[in-house]
Amino acid sequence: MKKKHAKEQNLLGEQQSKILNKAKNDSEKMSRSPMMYIGNHRKDLSNGDRSSEGNNSSKLMDLINDQNVDWTSLIQRQLTEMTTSRRLHTKEQCDLLRILLDETQKTQMKEITERHIREKKELELSQVRQNIEDSKRLGSEKNIRNKSDLDRRIRELKSNNTKKFLEERKRQIMKHEREKDNLTKSHETQKITLLAEIDKMHEQSMNYQDETPMARYPSSSV
């Protein structure tokens, strides 16, 4: 957009310079004192054209004023375009930041949920393996007298293992809840921080004033 605006300014500046230079040249020609010869005498007719010089100066000033109006109109339009473009760009940036944060947080929550599911399954498998190993170990012991004694010992071990599993599972649930709670709080803090930054970006975009184009006002048009 800056290149487009610079091209528009250069084009208008060149056009105004040509028109102004032509008007100045025409004015200078008109302001020269006309001479008229009557017989052997030369008569200066410039005194009668003093009013024409004033008219020429007035026309030049009108032309300069018109060019100033055209230039100001161009700059104001360009400023409006830049402001609109800047605000739109800021809005797009803010929307993208919100989307990225939301997607990142969803991914993090999904990852921690999947990890918790894996840890729960691992704990359950650990209990199953422990029961199997205990059953094998008891089956190989020689001091067990009969099957009923073996079944009783197996039930006791399974009961103890289940109790240990429930206690471990309880600790695991509490740990998982703390992790999710901490992640949720972290996400809330991130959202608050981002929204504050977005508000600043919007405020800066609304209050931004670009005075640069006015500084490029063509000297030939002033």
Side-chain angles (χ1 to χ4, degrees), residues 19-31:
I19 294 172
L20 186 59
N21 288 335
K22 184 178 183 302
K24 286 179 179 179
N25 291 334
D26 292 343
S27 177
E28 290 174 359
K29 291 179 181 179
M30 293 293 294
S31 64

Side-chain angles (χ1 to χ4, degrees), residues 98-112 183-192:
R98 275 192 287 259
I99 291 172
L100 289 175
L101 179 63
D102 184 61
E103 290 179 350
T104 300
Q105 291 183 345
K106 285 181 179 179
T107 299
Q108 291 175 342
M109 188 59 71
K110 180 182 178 182
E111 288 175 349
I112 195 173
L183 183 60
T184 300
K185 290 179 179 178
S186 175
H187 286 175
E188 288 298 323
T189 301
Q190 291 171 356
K191 286 181 179 179
I192 292 172

Side-chain angles (χ1 to χ4, degrees), residues 122-156:
E122 289 172 359
L123 182 61
E124 291 172 345
L125 288 174
S126 175
Q127 182 197 20
V128 172
R129 284 194 296 267
Q130 186 64 47
N131 288 336
I132 293 173
E133 290 175 0
D134 289 342
S135 296
K136 288 181 178 180
R137 179 175 57 80
L138 289 174
S140 62
E141 288 186 2
K142 297 179 179 180
N143 59 347
I144 296 179
R145 292 169 294 180
N146 49 50
K147 186 177 183 301
S148 61
D149 190 23
L150 175 63
D151 291 341
R152 179 182 59 79
R153 293 285 302 277
I154 290 175
R155 285 195 300 272
E156 289 176 353

Side-chain angles (χ1 to χ4, degrees), residues 5-6 12 51 65 82 92 101 117 137 159 198 217:
H5 287 174
L12 180 60
S51 61
N65 289 334
M82 286 191 292
E92 290 174 348
L101 179 63
I117 292 174
R137 179 175 57 80
S159 176
I198 286 176
Y217 195 95

